[in-house]
């Protein structure tokens, strides 16, 4: 059937709009709106002693200035702790505008509203804020040492102590034939969407209603937050996510101070107000992720099989914990990856630092967990002189072990039970795809060209599609157009395309008849948001269920008209027809017309449903229990997350004179269950790998000891260009999820997860020195290579050149 | 990231431009804007007036003679790279210019940014400042009092700082021709393609009539506060060109430079790269010198 589009590489319908400049992003809205700008703290930790706005008052075009003193009611209280957790024993959040003490550079102190952004910045420049500087804590080690504190009443800087264990780890380690203990680090990076955050608010004083557009990943929850904080009835607030230029996690955090302050100003001033974040603001006042110190002890037998694993992570959560301990929990629970670990204990201490908050960035704790586990595998292989792929193979969960219960509790509060997968299958495909067994020949070839070559791999399992739920609404209009709505938001992933594919396939209509709307609380008020690789799993299944409801109703109505049994009907290309009986059919659009009994008609089609045309006097026009219209709303709520998986391998070449690192080959084997659109999945993998390469080799947040971010621009924060991202070979495996009707697993974040681990492994293989801190740059590799005390791997004798490093 | 208020002038002649620069204290000249505009947007610079010289006639030519290449103030970087008679003539007389220009940022920036603008910006990480120094070049400066020539040694005072004061427009830069029996090469290492170099090197090797090394000079990017030219001749002087120990010249270079460290590279790493890039570029330049000697 032509309408079965599920699984096809349908071209993204949003691209024509987005790539020809016809997208409608936040800053495209409200051309006449007033503009907001913020005075932000220049200090990482300081007491605000005075705010003097006098010099700003005569700036022509200034409309309003707000400080903490101007906030009232719930707005004057701390920002919400969005996701409370019993182990988050010392949660702290900031205020919409600083109240007394600022805890990181970039924290908003004063809001300025003016006729345009230029004037607002002019006025902001003239506002003099006095500070008394306080001791600064930067980096996870300084936080642990706690010689200074970020929050006075948290003397050890520990916000949370997250702890899970699956058995008695100490005796298991004592009984292990071999043990290894080591410490390693991973640095901060950030989401860096092309479009920063942004908010536009319009207050209708006559109607008493507020319309807010926000570049968010969670419009329904932003709506609830605004209503609560500004003391408005929920029904008076609408929140719409327009086209959003990337999210990658940072826009799931909400409400951002600006998401509350801009509507507040719009109400107080009775004017449209807009704020569009600039890049520097994004660097210093949004969110980062990934810094951890990981202390690992592993026990294993002579064959390299792990018998016990004990991990202690120190996780830098920045200045506040609005998003709870989601990232630490994900690191703790996803660390085990595709491996059967008999006894596992993990403690994550989440610590405060005077830096930007840490909240999920694509991967969300998984890249760190993968780095811990995969580097452990490399160490075991090195210690025993075994092939790294073989050590992994011996520890993998086997296909007959599903569902596999890790006896851990995941980020959604539900058990970590892997639903399906084939991890040995992934590994076999990866070994073939990257040419793992030919590494020796590649190394020799590189050596002949004066280069060092190394190969590394990393495997992961990713819990995707957590609940609690998403909903979908499908409605067929009398024109034949099919409207699909879901509450979660889009940031360019291709939701319009995949949801249309799913509905077209379920309903039997041409995809061009399907129109998809997301992230608009006017259309769909119940939703959770776009994060955790959940859109396809959650809303994909919800719109499928809604489409099935519409189909059922359509068949029932059509069966009446065609005098047939609904079970004998099918829908194809928008026609309801009796199977095997050509000509016995009715267009779905006519069914839609008939579904809504009419008194009035405005066109030819509608006349068919009016009261003097229809002639069944035996029952009311709308039967009890039925409803007018050909539409259905349904929800998908999973019992628990579904677990996608994959394996990456990287081949690097290193110039032993300049220590430049070049990723020359990158292979990905990917399993996200049934694939809705393979082109979109490959695009997600490509983008994820680009961010993985960035995190491994280029990106870091270069904070100095005073908490100043030294690289807060795209000149110095090195996101890889296309020229730095290798060509990627991709292979697929499909192990459908038994947990949801469509059998799909999430695909959004996967590509980024193993990059750091695989590339660290490859570099270590190339140079024969232990890599214990990532990312790594040429200057750092040079330092490592001339450090006489640097640990050499057991495999280092295969490194061909004894690299002459000039002093 | 919006500039502070500024007045904007778009003079139609050099005289008019100088009039505005004279009348408006602290006025800045805008040509390609690839450095100035970001500084304005970040409010790191806030001149009261911008004098946009893009409509001033006569500043957009590349003039090549046997003596060298004169590049007008409105010639874009790309003007020295694209397939045109002007660019070809310039590359024949002073090949280093195009070689270095190819390393300037990305195409979009090369289409707008100007050679002379990068020199006037005096960024020690820039390619053009190093090339002006290495070729022994100069700039022509127009002031209300008339025109004068300022040699590169007198021009660069510090990072992003030139000796030009008061109302002045740099109207062109002059790059002397590559001497006989000489070859050049240029290379840089950057974190990402097109980024500012972590370290870059331009070199000129000159041979004597017996094809022995007569002179070796080098200039580096991102290793000092101002562009400098280092004479490396002593490491390889008098050696036959195919037997010269370029590594010795690299080792000498490392002792002559005094780089700083930053978040992208330590001082030691930059010194390492000075050695490697010197060795690599000298070998390349020597091959060209040999070719040009044979020809």
């Amino acid at each position: 059937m032509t309408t079965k589009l599920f699984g096809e590489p349908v071209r993204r319908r949003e691209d024509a709009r987005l790539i020809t400049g016809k997208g409608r992003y936040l800053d495209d809205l409200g051309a006449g709106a007033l503009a907001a700008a913020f005075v932000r703290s220049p200090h990482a930790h300081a007491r605000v002693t005075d705010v003097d706005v006098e010099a700003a008052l005569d700036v022509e075009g200034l409309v309003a200035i707000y400080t903490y003193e101007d906030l009232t009611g719930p707005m004057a209280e701390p920002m919400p702790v969005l996701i409370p957790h019993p182990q988050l024993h010392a949660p702290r959040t900031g205020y919409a505008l600083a109240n007394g003490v600022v805890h990181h550079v970039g924290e908003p102190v004063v809001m300025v509203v003016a006729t345009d952004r230029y004037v607002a910045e002019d006025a902001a420049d003239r506002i003099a804020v006095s500070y008394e500087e306080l001791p600064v804590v930067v980096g996870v080690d300084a936080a642990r040492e706690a010689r200074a504190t970020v929050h006075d009443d948290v003397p050890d800087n520990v916000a949370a102590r997250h702890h899970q264990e699956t058995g008695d780890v100490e005796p298991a380690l004592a009984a292990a034939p071999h043990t290894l203990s080591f410490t390693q680090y991973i640095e901060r990076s950030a989401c860096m969407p092309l479009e920063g955050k942004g908010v536009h608010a319009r207050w209708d004083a006559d109607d008493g209603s507020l319309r807010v557009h926000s570049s968010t990943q969670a419009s329904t929850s932003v709506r609830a937050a605004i209503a609560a904080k500004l003391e408005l009835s929920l029904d008076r607030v609408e929140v719409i996510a327009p086209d959003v230029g990337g999210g990658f996690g940072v826009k799931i955090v909400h409400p951002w101070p600006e998401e509350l302050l801009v509507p507040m100003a719009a109400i107080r001033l009775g004017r449209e107000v807009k704020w569009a974040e600039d890049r520097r603001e994004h660097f210093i006042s949004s969110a980062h992720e990934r810094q951890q110190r990981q202390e690992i002890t592993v026990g294993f037998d002579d064959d390299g099989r792990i018998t016990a694993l004990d991990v202690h992570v120190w996780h830098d959560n920045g200045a506040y914990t609005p998003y709870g301990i989601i990232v630490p929990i994900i690191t703790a629970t996803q660390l085990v990856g595709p491996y059967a670990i008999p006894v596992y204990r993990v403690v994550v201490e989440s610590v405060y630092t005077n830096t930007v908050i840490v909240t999920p960035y694509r991967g969300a704790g998984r890249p760190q967990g993968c780095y811990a586990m995969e580097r452990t595998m490399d160490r075991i292989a090195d210690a025993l002189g075994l092939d790294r792929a073989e050590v992994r193979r011996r520890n993998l969960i086997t296909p007959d072990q599903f569902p596999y219960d890790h006896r851990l509790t995941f980020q959604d509060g539900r058990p970590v039970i892997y639903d399906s997968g084939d991890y040995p299958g992934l590994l076999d495909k990866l070994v073939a795809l990257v040419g793992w067994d030919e590494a020796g020949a590649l190394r020799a070839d590189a050596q002949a060209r004066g280069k060092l070559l190394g190969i590394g791999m990393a495997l992961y399992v990713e819990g995707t599609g957590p609940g609690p739920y998403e909903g979908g609404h499908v409605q067929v209009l009398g024109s034949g157009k099919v409207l699909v709505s879901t509450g979660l938001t889009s940031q360019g992933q291709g939701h319009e395309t995949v949801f249309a594919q799913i509905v077209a396939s379920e309903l039997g209509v041409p995809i061009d008849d399907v129109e998809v709307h997301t992230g608009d609380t006017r259309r769909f008020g119940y939703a959770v948001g776009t994060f955790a690789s959940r859109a396809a799993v959650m809303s994909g299944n919800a719109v499928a269920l809604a489409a099935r409801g519409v189909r059922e109703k359509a068949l029932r109505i059509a069966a009446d008209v065609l005098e047939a049994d609904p079970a004998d009907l099918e829908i194809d290309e928008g026609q309801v027809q009796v199977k095997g009986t050509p000509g016995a059919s009715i267009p779905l659009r006519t069914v839609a017309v008939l579904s809504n009994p009419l008194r009035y008609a405005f066109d030819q089609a509608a006349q068919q449903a009016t009261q003097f045309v229809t002639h069944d006097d035996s029952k009311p026009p709308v039967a009890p229990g039925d409803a007018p219209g050909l539409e259905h709303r349904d929800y998908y709520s999973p019992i628990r997350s579904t677990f996608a998986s994959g394996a990456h391998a990287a081949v690097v070449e290193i110039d032993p004179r300049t220590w430049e690192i070049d990723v020359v080959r990158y292979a990905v084997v990917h399993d996200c269950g049934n694939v809705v659109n393979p082109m979109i999945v490959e695009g997600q993998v490509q983008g994820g790998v680009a961010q993985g390469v960035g995190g491994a080799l280029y990106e870091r947040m270069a904070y100095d000891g005073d908490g100043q971010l030294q690289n807060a621009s795209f000149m110095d924060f090195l996101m890889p260009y296309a020229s730095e991202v290798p060509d990627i070979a991709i292979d697929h495996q499909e192990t459908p999820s038994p947990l949801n009707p469509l059998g799909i697993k999430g695909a959004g974040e996967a590509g980024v997860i193993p990059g750091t681990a695989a590339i660290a492994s490859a570099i270590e293989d190339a140079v024969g020195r232990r890599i214990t801190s990532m990312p790594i740059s040429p200057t750092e590799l040079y330092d490592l290579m001339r450090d006489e005390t640097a640990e050499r791997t057991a495999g280092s004798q295969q490194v061909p050149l004894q690299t002459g490093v000039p002093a | 990231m919006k500039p502070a208020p500024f007045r904007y002038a778009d003079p139609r002649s050099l005289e008019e431009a100088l009039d505005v620069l004279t009348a408006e204290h602290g006025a800045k000249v805008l040509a390609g804007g690839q450095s100035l505009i970001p500084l304005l947007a970040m409010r790191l610079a806030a001149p009261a007036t911008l004098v946009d010289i893009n409509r001033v006639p006569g500043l957009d030519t590349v003039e090549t003679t046997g003596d060298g290449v004169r590049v007008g103030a409105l010639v874009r970087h790309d003007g020295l790279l694209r397939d045109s008679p002007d660019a070809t003539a310039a590359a024949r007389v002073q090949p280093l210019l195009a070689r270095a220009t190819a390393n300037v940022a990305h195409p979009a920036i090369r289409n707008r940014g100007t050679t002379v603008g990068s020199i006037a910006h005096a960024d020690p990480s820039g390619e053009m400042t190093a090339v002006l120094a290495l070729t022994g070049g100069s700039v022509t400066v127009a002031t209300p009092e008339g025109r004068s020539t300022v040699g590169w040694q007198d021009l660069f005072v510090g990072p992003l700082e030139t000796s030009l004061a008061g109302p002045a427009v740099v109207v062109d830069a002059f790059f002397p021709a590559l001497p006989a029996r000489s070859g050049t090469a240029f290379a840089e290492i950057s974190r990402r393609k097109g980024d500012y170099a972590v370290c870059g090197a331009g070199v000129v090797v000159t041979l004597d009539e017996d094809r022995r090394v007569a002179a070796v000079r080098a200039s580096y990017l991102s290793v000092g506060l101002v562009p400098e030219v280092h004479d490396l001749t002593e490491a390889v002087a008098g050696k036959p060109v195919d037997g010269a120990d370029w590594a010795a010249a690299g080792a000498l270079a490392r002792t002559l430079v005094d780089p700083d460290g930053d978040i992208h590279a330590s001082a030691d790493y930059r010194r390492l790269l000075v050695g490697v890039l010197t060795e690599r570029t000298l070998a390349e330049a020597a091959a060209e010198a040999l070719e040009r000697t044979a020809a």
Side-chain angles (χ1 to χ4, degrees), chain A residues 666-789:
Chain A
Y666 201 100
V668 175
V669 186
H670 184 258
D671 184 347
C672 60
N674 290 336
V675 173
V676 185
N677 184 323
M679 186 172 65
I680 286 177
V681 168
E682 289 207 3
Q684 289 289 339
V685 170
Q686 300 264 357
V689 169
Q691 287 180 309
V693 169
L697 297 175
Y698 296 98
E699 298 169 0
R700 70 184 65 223
M701 289 296 165
Y703 275 105
D704 68 12
D706 296 326
Q708 298 291 339
L709 187 57
Q710 296 172 284
N711 60 342
S713 80
F714 278 162
M715 188 171 83
D716 284 320
F717 177 82
L718 308 178
M719 275 206 296
Y721 301 134
S723 46
E724 280 64 53
V725 179
D727 287 337
I728 303 159
I730 301 179
D731 197 359
H732 294 280
Q733 175 175 284
E734 293 192 29
T735 58
S737 172
L739 298 182
N740 62 68
L742 299 176
I744 57 186
K745 303 174 179 180
E749 294 170 89
V752 78
I753 296 169
T756 289
I759 291 171
S761 183
I763 294 170
E764 184 170 288
D765 184 47
V767 301
R769 300 293 196 287
R770 194 76 69 196
I771 305 296
T772 59
S773 186
M774 288 292 279
I776 189 162
S777 63
T779 188
E780 290 164 320
L781 185 55
Y782 173 53
D783 286 343
L784 180 72
M785 297 308 293
R786 62 195 178 130
D787 177 0
E788 288 301 320
T789 67

Side-chain angles (χ1 to χ4, degrees), chain A residues 610-626:
Chain A
T610 52
Q611 58 196 14
F612 298 107
V613 178
T614 53
H615 290 292
D616 184 351
D617 301 337
S618 65
K619 56 187 183 189
V622 177
D626 205 352

Side-chain angles (χ1 to χ4, degrees), chain A residues 121-122 657-658 697 719, chain B residues 1 43 191-192 269 279:
Chain A
E121 291 192 19
D122 293 345
R657 300 197 65 200
T658 64
L697 297 175
M719 275 206 296
Chain B
M1 283 208 189
R43 298 196 178 213
R191 289 303 322 277
R192 299 172 301 184
Y269 180 63
E279 188 181 332

Side-chain angles (χ1 to χ4, degrees), chain A residues 380-397:
Chain A
I380 293 171
D382 192 51
L384 296 176
L386 293 171
D387 176 61
R388 288 168 290 165
E390 182 56 29
V391 167
R392 287 171 168 83
R393 185 173 284 114
R394 290 172 186 176
N395 283 286
L396 290 175
I397 294 162

Side-chain angles (χ1 to χ4, degrees), chain A residues 32 39 86 91 169 171 186 196 273 323 370 405 436 460 541 603 609 632 722 769 795 801 803 806:
Chain A
V39 177
V169 79
I186 185 168
V273 181
Y323 212 72
C370 180
D405 187 351
W436 184 263
Y460 68 90
N541 279 291
D603 58 26
H632 189 73
R769 300 293 196 287
L801 308 178
T803 51

Side-chain angles (χ1 to χ4, degrees), chain A residues 449-510:
Chain A
R449 290 180 285 109
K451 295 286 179 69
L452 302 173
L453 181 139
I455 187 167
M457 66 163 58
L459 282 61
Y460 68 90
V461 171
E462 181 198 0
T464 68
Y469 70 85
E470 286 298 336
H473 179 252
V474 175
Q475 180 181 21
V476 183
L477 300 182
S479 61
K481 181 193 274 191
V482 180
L483 296 178
V484 179
S485 181
T486 185
L488 62 61
T489 58
S490 298
Q491 300 87 44
Q493 297 95 329
H495 294 165
E496 287 174 46
T497 305
V498 294
F499 297 154
Q501 280 180 262
I502 290 169
V503 169
S505 297
E506 291 287 342
L507 205 50
V509 298

